[in-house]
Amino acid sequence: MIYPEIFEQKTGFDKIRQLIKNHCLSPLGEEKVVEMTFSSDFILIREQLYRTHEFIRIIQEEDAFPADYFFDVRDALQKVGIEGAYLTEKELFDICRSLETINKIVRFFKPDGNYPYLQELASGVVSFPQLTKQIDMILDKFGKIRDNASPALADIRRQLIQTANGISKTLQRILRTAQSENLVDKDVAPAMRDGRLMIPISPAFKRKINGIVHDESSSGKTVFIEPAEVVEANNKIRELESNEKREIIRILTAFTNQIRPEIPEIRNAYRFLAEIDFIRAKALFALNINAVLPDLDNVCRMDWIRAVHPLLYLSHKKQNKSVVPLEITLKQHSDRNGTGVILLVSGPNAGGKSVLLKTVGLLQYMLQSGLLIPVEERSKTGVFTDIFIDIGDEQSIENDLSTYSSHLLNMKFMLKNAGPESLILIDEFGGGTEPNIGGAIAEALLHRFNEKGCWGVITTHYHNLKIYADSHAGVINGAMLYDRHLMQPLFQLSTGQPGSSFAVEIARKIGLSEDVIAEASEKVGRDYINMDKYLQDIVRDKRYWESKRQQIRKQEKQLEELSEHYRLDLEKLESQKKEWLSKAKAEAEHLLAEANAKIENTIRQIKEVQAEKEKTKTIRKEFETYKKGVRGERFTENESPAPCPVNRSPFAVGDAVRIKGQQTVGTIIEMKDDLFVAAFGTIKTVVKAGQIEKVNGGRFSVNESPESYPAYHSPLADFQMEIDIRGMRANEALQAVIHYIDNAVQCNAGRVRILHGTGTGALRQIIRDYLKTAPDVRRFYDEHVQLGGAGITVVETTIHG
């Protein structure tokens, strides 16, 4: 239940509705905006919110969503239901183009895509691709009946062209004769009157041409004569045009009769188109006000972080002003499970209390109408069955109601109908009458609302209500903050303590006499004044400690991030350590197996030569050489090792190598630690020792060079100077461009082009955001307008020597 009936006008939702209508593409979507209503169905609300959220992603990430030809053809479909009626060319053309749009949208939401809620909406929608093909066979690209729509029509139009050509030739001949006799000017041409070609001539010479005078100019200086020779031909033209019209009506009637059984399914397709138009409009409006999808949670009905009034935001945005966001929380008390919480807000006039109340009412109503709201994504929101609001002056001369009487009638209605699932919003609770009795009635009403377990936000200035909130579970105090030194409101909500009205301070600010202020203070008593000051001090201290708490939270978050960063680094190091140990173990096992094999082979050879000294010495020498090779030693028997650390790498500059698993042979031209620069033909690459192996003993022979091995073929050899990403999804296009720019840098391309098209500009923006961060991109800009303009981005990359 929503109360009162003018709830939307009171909260400003009527303006929200109009702003969304402005984003619609057709009357189909506009009617859906008008039909948009408040709902308490949790599942329905979640479905509507997620659909809008998914469409925002489409707007931001996709560049090819079909948004053309959103036509309202319901009147034409209604006409089809009448026997004998037929669709006009324009109606049929609009149906064809809009059905093509529906077909594209249905295909866009393929079952395995990334938009499950919108895919569910599109599932089961019949888009009639065959029907649009049939219409294309009847209508041309301009929406006119094709000549070949039927054999009879083709014959009629052929005769029309032949007859018209004959008339034109006859008139030209007559006109040339008249011009030669100076009856008409040289620049005169045949003119059309009432669908018949005629010759314009001066009235003085009208008897010189045999024919019928049909018309004259408004000045009377020209008459239009139909020569007798073309009268019959013009009559034939009229007859053929009538035949053409009848044949077109016959074709359209036959096609209309053919699609009449499909009308129910076609109407369903247009209901889908209306829903898409509606969702698209909601998504565009959400982007305008920075609205997001909050966390739906019925336990914590309201935990809004940085909530903003959307109309106030748009108004301030035009003036380049910012809006102070609100932190609003209504959580169930642990001792009152299943019942609500009422926030009692106090503070100075013009301090933002009414704006707070309207923000709560408008955002909650928007949410339960299926609209995203301007809060932070981590905010929690719930669903209420009823929303009641009492705000503003409802004095009625017609009904003989004062402002206070009107408020009491609203309280009576709320008291009767509100419950644990209701949200009540009351501004200036108890105001409008004598303060003592007004405050007492307000306290009694607040007690009843609290007993009923209502949820609510209530603003007031009454001290007795602040005291009640402090001493009763289910009601909490809140204050709109005020800077006592600058004497201006901060428009920030603080919960837990009541606020001061700052009446004395505001009186001093506007220049009221100190005598008046002192006398007023004396009348209310020092205790009252001191209590107000204590409240101000409490609020000030709370603000101080709140800022400290925020600083601590920020530092804790930074520590958590650093801790997580170090933890990930340690895990990475541990993983690398395990990998290195595993690799070393495998290499050791391989060396051990080779050594055992070599030892066994050496023993076998010694046995075979039967201990001949020279042979045995040679075999032992070969074994010692092998041992040195295993140890990585590079000095001979007569050389001493250098005092510096020995280079134990099995490779040296000039060695012939190839990448493991490849046939292409190159040469090591530079080395540092475990990294080697190898040249494969004209291509240089950096490799690790474990990635390469020696070829032909490690050196090229006199008659051997890298060119004698199969040529190294790099994928960069086929590098193109431009890439076309039109039609790709955002993620696919970004990956393709990242890979392409890397190749461009390796090839020292210098200048390349990216073809992304214009569209909505989303794809262009994503690519340019990446290019801003790419280290080897010097600059980028639009191509010349004659070569593609904003549809092509030219990129200049760093050229490495």
Side-chain angles (χ1 to χ4, degrees), residues 562-597:
L562 284 172
S563 177
E564 179 66 13
H565 178 71
Y566 292 142
R567 185 185 65 81
L568 292 174
D569 284 349
L570 285 173
E571 288 180 358
K572 186 177 179 181
L573 288 172
E574 189 65 27
S575 176
Q576 288 178 344
K577 178 182 175 182
K578 290 179 180 178
E579 183 181 345
W580 292 336
L581 288 174
S582 176
K583 186 176 179 181
K585 183 179 179 182
E587 290 179 356
E589 290 176 352
H590 178 70
L591 287 174
L592 183 61
E594 280 190 349
N596 288 334

Side-chain angles (χ1 to χ4, degrees), residues 2 19 52 124 152 169 208 331 342 453 563 745 750:
I2 297 298
L19 290 170
T52 308
K169 289 178 181 178
K208 300 291 185 180
K331 293 183 179 179
I342 298 174
S563 177
V745 172

Side-chain angles (χ1 to χ4, degrees), residues 212-229:
I212 303 169
V213 176
H214 280 269
D215 198 4
E216 68 176 21
S217 65
S218 58
S219 64
K221 294 181 179 180
T222 304
V223 295
F224 298 91
I225 296 178
E226 181 182 17
E229 297 176 48

Side-chain angles (χ1 to χ4, degrees), residues 295-305 307 326-332 341 343 356-357 359-365 367-368 373 375 378-384 387 422-425 455-457 476 493 495:
D295 182 11
L296 287 174
D297 183 355
N298 251 1
V299 175
C300 177
R301 295 295 179 94
M302 194 177 294
D303 187 9
W304 294 350
I305 303 169
L326 296 166
E327 314 288 323
I328 307 168
T329 302
L330 294 179
K331 293 183 179 179
Q332 285 182 341
V341 173
L343 175 63
L356 164 69
L357 202 72
T359 301
V360 172
L362 179 58
L363 295 194
Q364 190 64 41
Y365 192 82
L367 181 81
Q368 293 191 228
I373 57 176
V375 296
R378 52 199 177 100
S379 300
K380 295 182 183 295
T381 60
V383 173
F384 299 97
I387 303 181
S422 302
L423 175 66
I424 59 173
L425 305 169
W455 300 81
V457 178
I476 55 175
L493 173 66
T495 57

Side-chain angles (χ1 to χ4, degrees), residues 162 183 215 292 545 686 699:
Q162 290 176 350
L183 300 178
D215 198 4
V292 300
W545 291 114
V686 178
R699 294 278 175 175

Side-chain angles (χ1 to χ4, degrees), residues 683-684 712 714-723 734-754 770-771 774-777 795-800:
I683 303 297
K684 297 178 183 179
Y712 176 78
S714 168
L716 302 180
D718 298 327
F719 180 80
Q720 300 293 324
M721 298 304 287
E722 67 179 28
I723 180 173
L734 184 58
Q735 291 301 320
V737 168
I738 292 172
H739 182 69
Y740 178 72
I741 293 298
D742 288 343
N743 288 346
V745 172
Q746 291 184 48
C747 287
N748 279 341
R751 183 180 183 273
V752 294
R753 306 193 326 152
I754 302 172
Y770 158 70
L771 293 175
D776 288 298
V777 172
V795 183
E796 293 183 4
T797 61
T798 304
I799 298 178
H800 299 282

